[in-house]
Amino acid sequence: MNYTRREILKHIGRGPRPGPWLADRLGLSRNAVWKHIEALRERGFEIETGEEGYELVGVPEFGGAAVSYGLAAPYEIRYQERVESTNDIARDLAAAGDSDVVVLADEQTGGRGRKDRTWRSPSGGIWMSILLRPDLPPATVPLLTLAAAVAVVEAVAEVGVEARIKWPNDVLVESPDGSEAKLAGILTEMAGESSRVAWVVLGIGVNANVDESAVGDGATTLRALVGDVDRRQVVQQLLETFHDLAEDTDRILPAWRAHASTLGREVRVDTGSETIRGTARTVTDTGALVIETADGERTVHAGDCEHLRPV
Ligand code: BTN
């Protein structure tokens, strides 16, 4: 959404504002104000015209304009109802030189998970990819992935869901019987050289307003846990928390530790080349997992982690 429309919404969201007042304030003609108001109405904003002027009385439920409105993070939201994969679109935007863009969709037809797995993404979910060009060495990019997981946990907490992070970035919900179901996942893709990151795409999938049966085994959804949620609010909260952490990377690990359920647990990590079993002790400054095994300590930078129940 452009600056002028954001400003108009800000003013008319505070109470009725006469057209001439808005025109004066924003340096526009009255006709231009009217055109912007009409365009906002077409995007789903409910704007009443009364004696005292224009007043915002309703915000669209979801979409680019809805998420942009009132968002306290500097991202441009590009929304499409149905896409193959928001990560693919974000990668194309990266190749075109864009940054600080969030690609958001209601449905993905070719959602991708880690290790080339399919990520089921029916209509009603939160499927999004954040494109950044951070001024960070490549070794610290995993921290952004951890920040994204923290942001998801804190956003779903606002709608009453207590989730925890399984190293590195699976967001899980624990049942009373101790079993865990996956609520959200993160797929990070990047390009750059050994000393500099060119771009990072953080693909975040939150199973939101969808049936549990539509997301597959071992997964759960916000709908199943608490009923349908305001996706606009969840996305805004998530992006704002993520942005704050990305701006102050020293806060990421303490926040991650506070929300993680892996530390102190018996784990089995499949790195692709070997399987390491032991007790997860800590994470390093770059987010690698330190495991105490029968043969001593091992540090794992990436892999599939499984929480093992105590024997
Ligand atoms: C995982 O395997 O846990 C990661 C899943 C990541 C899914 C998200 S949904 C938005 C973005 N677009 C994709 O195609 N994948 C990621």
Side-chain angles (χ1 to χ4, degrees):
M1 190 171 18
N2 72 32
Y3 173 79
T4 308
R5 289 188 191 157
R6 264 209 308 274
E7 283 296 293
I8 290 177
L9 287 172
K10 185 179 87 189
H11 291 301
I12 67 176
R14 291 176 180 158
R17 298 284 188 268
W21 184 92
L22 286 168
D24 231 37
R25 186 90 185 201
L26 301 172
L28 300 169
S29 68
R30 290 178 197 185
N31 191 41
V33 169
W34 178 79
K35 281 191 176 153
H36 283 301
I37 295 280
E38 285 306 301
L40 287 165
R41 282 179 173 144
E42 272 166 30
R43 281 164 181 72
F45 289 92
E46 286 168 51
I47 300 170
E48 277 180 0
T49 316
E51 277 183 3
E52 293 178 76
Y54 298 113
E55 185 176 11
L56 179 66
V57 293
V59 176
E61 197 201 333
F62 197 50
V67 172
S68 298
Y69 173 64
L71 175 67
Y75 301 125
E76 184 195 331
I77 312 293
R78 303 228 186 136
Y79 175 80
Q80 287 181 54
E81 217 157 272
R82 195 165 194 247
V83 300
E84 211 169 293
S85 157
T86 56
N87 263 39
D88 291 350
I89 296 175
R91 290 178 68 113
D92 289 347
L93 294 173
D98 277 326
S99 184
D100 296 324
V101 175
V102 175
V103 181
L104 178 68
D106 171 65
E107 181 183 359
Q108 294 186 121
T109 53
R112 296 190 282 113
R114 286 191 292 132
K115 296 196 163 174
D116 287 332
R117 293 179 190 127
T118 297
W119 181 261
R120 291 166 81 172
S121 320
S123 167
I126 294 174
W127 319 123
M128 65 186 205
S129 301
I130 308 173
L131 165 61
L132 301 174
R133 293 181 186 277
D135 189 12
L136 291 173
T140 57
V141 167
L143 283 180
L144 294 178
T145 309
L146 302 188
V150 169
V152 171
V153 168
E154 295 192 358
V156 300
E158 293 289 315
V159 294
V161 171
E162 198 188 314
R164 309 287 303 274
I165 306 167
K166 180 174 69 139
W167 183 85
N169 53 27
D170 278 346
V171 176
L172 308 178
V173 175
E174 204 171 303
S175 309
D177 68 359
S179 62
E180 294 170 320
K182 184 155 164 172
L183 178 66
I186 297 163
L187 173 67
T188 303
E189 298 180 298
M190 61 181 277
E193 293 151 19
S194 56
S195 60
R196 215 189 109 259
V197 175
W199 55 259
V200 178
V201 168
L202 293 139
I204 304 171
V206 184
N207 300 330
N209 300 340
V210 293
D211 289 341
E212 219 172 46
S213 58
V215 288
D217 287 348
T220 189
T221 72
L222 292 177
R223 173 180 284 170
L225 294 164
V226 288
D228 281 1
V229 299
D230 179 347
R231 285 185 291 166
R232 170 177 170 254
Q233 182 200 326
V234 175
V235 172
Q236 287 184 335
Q237 175 77 47
L238 195 165
L239 290 176
E240 288 167 9
T241 304
F242 174 78
H243 175 67
D244 289 350
L245 290 169
E247 289 288 290
D248 186 3
T249 49
D250 287 349
R251 286 178 44 221
I252 297 174
L253 279 176
W256 185 88
R257 283 196 186 96
H259 293 302
S261 59
T262 300
L263 302 183
R265 299 274 290 261
E266 287 299 300
V267 295
R268 181 161 50 213
V269 179
D270 176 3
T271 66
S273 56
E274 63 177 327
T275 301
I276 301 169
R277 189 179 167 147
T279 310
R281 285 295 174 212
T282 187
V283 280
T284 67
D285 288 353
T286 54
L289 186 67
V290 179
I291 306 171
E292 187 184 310
T293 73
D295 306 320
E297 238 172 46
R298 299 286 308 274
T299 301
V300 185
H301 295 273
D304 261 357
C305 173
E306 199 186 329
H307 289 161
L308 303 173
R309 303 260 186 89
V311 193

